[in-house]
Amino acid sequence: MNTLKYLKKHYNIVIFLLSLLIIGIGLGIILGFKQDEIFKNDVINSFNNFKELLLNRKINCIFNHLIIFIILILTSFLVPLYFFNFLFILFKGVTIGFSMYIFCLILGVKGLLSGIIYNFFTSGIFVLLYIFLITRGINIGKNTIALTLSHEKNYLNNIKNTLYGIFIVIGICIFYDILLFIFSNWIIDKLSLLF
């Protein structure tokens, strides 16, 4: 319940981050359309390799997500570097949009559904959790500045509580990454009728 109240209180930040994500998705789709015919033909011709790659390789994002979480926590305390998180959301949107374009290029209309499902499980849940963590990280930045200026203990308690919340969400995301690593082939195999 506190999480929903917090997100409602900081809805302008959430809207900004979601807007960056949507802009990134649009840019990724435009980037896909800008590719030449050679690229498009190569993608279509390598579809069988793509399908085999999805079915035979496990999706492993644990190490990447840990690095991203470390960057989030560091930039929460180093406020001038916080724009890296915004760039990451934009970049993640570009990769989602580009992969959506690839799915549509290969599979047509059926590819749109396949791309939505694939991106939701591999990127979407993580991006939504990361947006939540960014809003909490902004709270850490504000409290760090206030603690530096006033030295009041309540700011330190706010930082500790926010860090506990961030570590809980990071734990949930790592658990999700482990489940995705273990069951990704099974999920893709069950959804292979979309391919």
Side-chain angles (χ1 to χ4, degrees):
M1 194 56 97
N2 288 337
T3 300
L4 292 176
K5 286 181 185 176
Y6 183 82
L7 291 177
K8 284 180 183 176
K9 184 179 175 184
H10 296 90
Y11 73 92
N12 53 349
I13 297 168
V14 174
I15 296 296
F16 172 70
L17 293 171
L18 288 174
S19 299
L20 278 178
L21 181 65
I22 292 168
I23 290 168
I25 291 171
L27 289 173
I29 292 170
I30 291 169
L31 180 66
F33 278 115
K34 293 287 184 181
Q35 299 302 314
D36 59 8
E37 288 301 316
I38 296 171
F39 172 80
K40 293 176 184 177
N41 290 332
D42 285 345
V43 168
I44 292 169
N45 292 334
S46 64
F47 172 65
N48 289 330
N49 294 339
F50 174 71
K51 189 174 177 182
E52 289 299 316
L53 183 71
L54 284 178
L55 290 172
N56 294 325
R57 294 187 75 197
K58 294 193 175 284
I59 298 171
N60 185 2
C61 302
I62 297 169
F63 183 70
N64 294 341
H65 289 171
L66 284 175
I67 290 173
I68 292 165
F69 291 139
I70 290 168
I71 291 170
L72 170 72
I73 292 170
L74 290 177
T75 58
S76 295
F77 290 104
L78 303 169
V79 178
L81 300 177
Y82 210 74
F83 72 94
F84 284 118
N85 293 305
F86 303 143
L87 291 176
F88 174 77
I89 293 292
L90 185 67
F91 174 74
K92 202 63 178 166
V94 170
T95 59
I96 290 171
F98 191 75
S99 68
M100 292 288 292
Y101 171 78
I102 296 295
F103 274 98
C104 289
L105 179 68
I106 293 172
L107 301 171
V109 176
K110 196 164 69 166
L112 181 63
L113 179 62
S114 301
I116 289 170
I117 292 171
Y118 176 79
N119 281 304
F120 177 75
F121 283 112
T122 59
S123 298
I125 294 172
F126 170 74
V127 170
L128 294 176
L129 285 174
Y130 197 69
I131 286 172
F132 168 74
L133 291 174
I134 288 174
T135 59
R136 297 303 287 186
I138 289 172
N139 190 27
I140 289 176
K142 288 179 185 177
N143 283 311
T144 302
I145 291 170
L147 177 66
T148 305
L149 296 176
S150 69
H151 301 291
E152 291 182 25
K153 281 193 172 183
N154 63 336
Y155 292 118
L156 185 59
N157 290 333
N158 288 342
I159 291 171
K160 286 179 184 176
N161 290 337
T162 304
L163 278 175
Y164 290 142
I166 285 175
F167 285 125
I168 288 170
V169 174
I170 289 172
I172 291 169
C173 190
I174 290 172
F175 179 71
Y176 165 75
D177 282 336
I178 291 169
L179 286 179
L180 190 61
F181 177 74
I182 294 169
F183 295 109
S184 61
N185 293 88
W186 181 80
I187 292 169
I188 291 171
D189 184 48
K190 296 299 177 193
L191 296 174
S192 63
L193 62 110
L194 295 174
F195 300 110

